Amino acid sequence: MRHPPTTHLLYLHGFRSSPNSTKAQVMARRIAASHPEVHWWCPQLPPSPREAIDMVMRGIASWPRESMAVVGSSLGGFYATYVAGMTRCPTVLLNPAVDPARDLARHIGTQSQWHDPAQQFHFRPEYIGELKALEVGALPRPERCFAIVAKGDEVLDWREMSARYSGSRVKLLSKGDHALSDFERAHLDEVMAFLNL
């Protein structure tokens, strides 16, 4: 069953990323140009997963569950899966992290942002436990999830991503990269259609 048009859209960026990420900017421009009535929110997520999710859940507390949606990239895809588990809203996942507690354990220490290397943050050991606490099981509404997974992802395992969202719609790209460099040209229209925009 087709869900109502999206009125409130949340975008969650990945690890070491920001609202300045290419995909976030592409989506923000499309929403502003074609759907200015949609409430768009792409927050800068704090390094602490617990703080990040607390901020997100507070921020969307008053949003209408029947017409909100979330898009998440990489680690943001893991967070978006948590949001989907809590709200059952339509969800788009772009090369989503499946087990960040495992994958980010080797990144403990000082990190810099991709888009502004002068911006540094400390990824603390306790954040691994915070990530584990955010793991959700099978999504209650898997048909409301659309995952774009690139076999050429140099950071995450496409097999793991595909298996995690096997009950959902998965667009499996034969090549591609972690950043989905062709997002605007090859995938944006499909994402907007899924969001009923």
Side-chain angles (χ1 to χ4, degrees), residues 5 11-12 27 33 54 66 74 76 78 93 101 108 113 115-116 124 132-134 137 140 170 178-179 188:
Y11 186 100
L12 300 175
M27 286 210 69
D54 285 352
E66 67 281 0
S74 194
F78 175 79
L93 305 168
I108 289 168
Q113 278 193 8
H115 307 104
D116 183 4
R124 302 178 182 281
K132 283 191 192 318
L134 296 175
V170 176
H178 184 64
L188 179 60

Side-chain angles (χ1 to χ4, degrees), residues 17-90:
S17 191
S18 78
N20 293 321
S21 82
T22 303
K23 293 186 295 296
Q25 291 287 307
V26 161
M27 286 210 69
R29 282 196 302 270
R30 173 65 70 89
I31 294 293
S34 304
H35 303 280
E37 75 286 355
V38 169
H39 181 84
W40 164 263
W41 187 38
C42 179
Q44 176 67 58
L45 300 173
S48 159
R50 181 181 50 77
E51 289 176 18
I53 285 295
D54 285 352
M55 182 180 79
V56 165
M57 297 309 287
R58 279 198 314 271
I60 64 172
S62 64
W63 285 18
R65 294 293 182 255
E66 67 281 0
S67 62
M68 65 168 281
V70 59
V71 177
S73 170
S74 194
L75 179 60
F78 175 79
Y79 291 155
T81 301
Y82 177 89
V83 172
M86 298 300 117
T87 67
R88 305 184 177 206
C89 73

Side-chain angles (χ1 to χ4, degrees), residues 19 72 80 83 85 91 103 120 133 158 161 192:
V83 172
T91 305
D103 297 341
Q120 295 195 325
W158 67 269
M161 291 187 273
M192 297 297 283

